[in-house]
Amino acid sequence: MDWLPHITVATIVEDNGRFLMVEETKHGRTVLNQPAGHLDPDETLIEAAVRETLEETGWDVEPTGVVGIYLYTAPSNGVTYQRVCFNAKPLKHHPDYQLDDGIVGAKWLTRDELLAQRANWRSELIIRCIDDYLDGNHFGLELIRPSL
């Protein structure tokens, strides 16, 4: 049996207690997620986090740290994802930016507002990453080493 984990990135962007979230359509329903996506060929993890955040929210961000590295197997399809979650500061919003297909829009939500919408989460990683961020898990970007 071939086991092919998917490398993904996610970004925690906070502004005054609100978190930048993405509403996206997945399997016919609208779900919430952090700005997140797959690593592209010839791209660094940091570049992927910046790109995915822009493509899904219209926001330019500056990564400032690493919140954590997570292994998650989706119960819906059995696929294993390795997620590298960054924290970043918002820099500039491009309200007319053409968001990726399947993206309904971006919204800023508090942790409590997210908890009230638990049935709409794409995965439990949403709250785990936010809670790790709120608990002070911020590791330096030097944790991410360039390829040789």
Side-chain angles (χ1 to χ4, degrees):
M1 177 174 136
D2 289 336
W3 182 66
L4 302 169
H6 295 248
I7 307 300
T8 63
V9 295
T11 309
I12 302 287
V13 183
E14 182 202 8
D15 184 37
N16 294 314
R18 297 176 314 140
F19 296 94
L20 181 61
M21 302 301 294
V22 174
E23 284 185 304
E24 59 187 338
T25 304
K26 195 71 176 166
H27 305 298
R29 62 186 275 259
T30 301
V31 295
L32 288 167
N33 198 11
Q34 276 100 17
H38 291 269
L39 178 68
D40 283 348
D42 301 318
E43 181 177 53
T44 70
L45 291 165
I46 295 170
E47 290 167 345
V50 169
R51 175 186 53 76
E52 287 289 352
T53 304
L54 177 62
E55 290 177 352
E56 295 188 351
T57 69
W59 276 90
D60 288 325
V61 296
E62 178 185 336
T64 56
V66 177
V67 174
I69 300 170
Y70 305 84
L71 208 57
Y72 175 76
T73 301
S76 62
N77 60 14
V79 173
T80 299
Y81 299 89
Q82 181 182 21
R83 173 189 266 207
V84 180
C85 186
F86 293 90
N87 55 300
K89 64 181 180 182
L91 297 177
K92 182 178 181 183
H93 186 231
H94 305 277
D96 296 326
Y97 191 88
Q98 180 63 45
L99 303 179
D100 275 354
D101 287 343
I103 303 296
V104 175
K107 57 179 11 179
W108 293 89
L109 298 171
T110 65
R111 183 182 185 280
D112 287 342
E113 290 169 333
L114 276 169
L115 287 175
Q117 297 185 51
R118 184 178 211 126
N120 298 328
W121 293 354
R122 180 147 180 196
S123 80
E124 293 291 323
L125 282 178
I126 290 172
I127 204 69
R128 180 150 182 221
C129 290
I130 287 175
D131 285 347
D132 284 350
Y133 167 82
L134 290 171
D135 287 343
N137 291 323
H138 306 183
F139 302 94
L141 290 176
E142 65 273 4
L143 182 68
I144 306 298
R145 307 299 294 167
S147 51
L148 299 175

